[in-house]
Amino acid sequence: MGKGFKEKVYQVVAKITKGEVLSYQDVAKKAGSPKACRAVGNIMNRHHIKGLPCHRVIRSDASVGGYFWGTKKKIKRLKEEGVKIESGKVIGFKKRK
DNA sequence: AGGGTGACCCGCT
DNA sequence: CAGCGGGCCACCC
């Protein structure tokens, strides 16, 4: 296990600790394909794996991004983990723009 | 700020 | 079985 892109994504996301947030591009990069940022989100969407903290994965512009169960839920979960979010943006995240 | 293109995966036709 | 389009995105113009 861990040969395919998806498997790598699972591993990377599963390694995200409580209160930490990573961007889709960062996950994609760690998974071996920096340009597969879109695929990462798609994988979560089509295969919402239980036990996988996909809510800790946000956009590279610090916006929370989408969520299978709803963006509102995603924000709530992140806040409960100690992540400061304001106006749909993660405070303290280095956005590229 | 908005639109268009690029890269990758999955489901449907 | 093969092709097309859409999606929890990112970057450039």
Side-chain angles (χ1 to χ4, degrees):
Chain A
M1 49 166 52
K3 305 184 189 65
F5 180 74
K6 308 189 287 293
E7 303 278 335
K8 282 287 182 61
V9 172
Y10 300 152
Q11 290 297 319
V12 173
V13 177
K15 294 291 188 300
I16 305 177
T17 59
K18 176 171 170 292
E20 181 183 6
V21 287
L22 282 181
S23 65
Y24 287 96
Q25 193 186 22
D26 208 2
V27 174
K29 190 180 297 182
K30 290 176 184 299
S33 299
K35 299 301 180 188
C37 45
R38 211 170 182 185
V40 175
N42 205 1
I43 290 169
M44 306 299 184
N45 185 19
R46 303 286 188 176
H47 304 271
H48 46 105
I49 313 299
K50 181 191 172 302
L52 194 67
C54 49
H55 59 274
R56 292 174 186 161
V57 186
I58 65 176
R59 280 188 168 224
S60 67
D61 61 339
S63 51
V64 179
Y67 194 51
F68 190 86
W69 309 107
T71 308
K72 296 281 291 184
K73 207 78 174 182
K74 186 172 182 178
I75 293 174
K76 179 180 285 187
R77 278 184 194 251
L78 285 172
K79 281 188 175 182
E80 297 204 86
E81 292 190 350
V83 180
K84 293 282 293 180
I85 300 176
E86 193 173 303
S87 301
K89 297 292 199 303
V90 177
I91 308 302
F93 190 83
K94 271 295 216 176
K95 54 182 178 183
R96 195 187 64 74
K97 285 185 176 179

